[in-house]
Amino acid sequence: MRALLVEDDLAVSRGIVALLKAAAMVVDAVDTGEEALELARLYDYDVVVLDLVLPDMEGYEVVRRLRAARVETPVLILSGLNRPQAKVKAFSMGADDFITKPFDREELVARIQAVVRRTKGFSQPSLTAGPLVLNLNSREVTVNGQEIHLTGKEYAILELLTLRKGVVMTKEGFLNHLYGGMDEPEVKIIDVFICKLRKKLAQAGADNLIGTVWGRGYVLREPSAATARMDMAPAVETTTTAAAA
């Protein structure tokens, strides 16, 4: 997952960034509403974690302007304001969840995962596609009940594809989610990750889940839809010295 954190308290921001990164999320952190609005319009985030008290505008205004700009990214408010009126106003502006400070670290991660699942149309922690089951909480992947061992990057790619099932993801989009614009390798590394991921899934009996849309990127579909609508030829395998994380 890729999260945008909007928090002007540096100590709190660093703590949350460390927490979310430990939960295998890529995090961009900013301390003003204007920066948050700019990044949320430019990049495809899974969630925005937003403080209500910012130096340049209220968090309510950030939410209002995001929704006015038709940015549908879920917003989780994280604020020291615990009055019912604050929550009602946040929800009326278009926020998706509200947690008051101080917060429990595990609860914050769980609530982020839950709000992302709901907005992607999943009600359970386990995401499914044919025989594939991916558990967001434990980060376990199984095919027909058999556990599949993935590297960190392979899991991140599969999670991204599963959360956006049926949506074509570009290679640039994968790089943004995997690296957040920091120390990005060449785009062809995505082909390598996809190739390795396909092999592991196929060996477990879940081939033909990840399709190639030539000239655009990759997509994960349910098996029946994949075989009927996609040219499922795998990406050309390349030799690279880049190592999967």
Side-chain angles (χ1 to χ4, degrees), residues 44-62:
D44 180 22
Y45 290 101
D46 292 297
V47 65
V48 176
V49 180
L50 174 67
D51 189 13
L52 285 179
V53 182
L54 299 171
D56 57 340
M57 68 179 73
E58 289 187 322
Y60 303 118
E61 178 64 9
V62 175

Side-chain angles (χ1 to χ4, degrees), residues 76-186:
L76 184 149
I77 300 295
L78 188 60
S79 175
L81 301 176
N82 58 10
R83 301 187 305 273
Q85 297 88 339
K87 297 181 179 181
V88 170
K89 184 174 181 180
F91 288 129
S92 68
M93 290 291 178
D96 299 270
D97 203 352
F98 195 114
I99 298 181
T100 56
K101 300 175 183 177
F103 57 89
D104 180 82
R105 296 165 63 87
E106 292 184 359
E107 181 186 0
L108 176 60
V109 172
R111 296 273 281 271
I112 288 174
Q113 292 173 337
V115 76
V116 171
R117 288 200 318 266
R118 289 197 303 269
T119 56
K120 301 297 183 183
F122 298 96
S123 59
Q124 301 295 328
S126 295
L127 316 182
T128 62
L132 171 72
V133 179
L134 184 150
N135 190 296
L136 289 177
N137 294 343
S138 64
R139 304 184 76 233
E140 292 179 343
V141 177
T142 61
V143 173
N144 294 319
Q146 174 187 345
E147 185 174 357
I148 309 301
H149 297 285
L150 304 178
T151 66
K153 291 294 189 293
E154 289 167 355
Y155 174 85
I157 286 175
L158 185 59
E159 179 188 78
L160 183 59
L161 284 169
T162 307
L163 282 170
R164 288 161 173 75
K165 184 165 58 177
V167 176
V168 178
M169 287 295 303
T170 66
K171 296 175 186 179
E172 291 77 14
F174 282 117
L175 286 179
N176 280 331
H177 269 78
L178 294 177
Y179 300 96
M182 300 295 292
D183 300 320
E184 290 185 359
E186 293 184 15

Side-chain angles (χ1 to χ4, degrees), residues 8-37:
D8 67 325
D9 185 311
L10 184 58
V12 173
S13 178
R14 286 175 174 171
I16 296 174
V17 168
L19 172 65
L20 299 187
K21 285 186 175 181
M25 300 184 199
V26 173
V27 188
D28 294 332
V30 297
D31 57 8
T32 67
E34 287 294 348
E35 288 178 289
L37 289 167

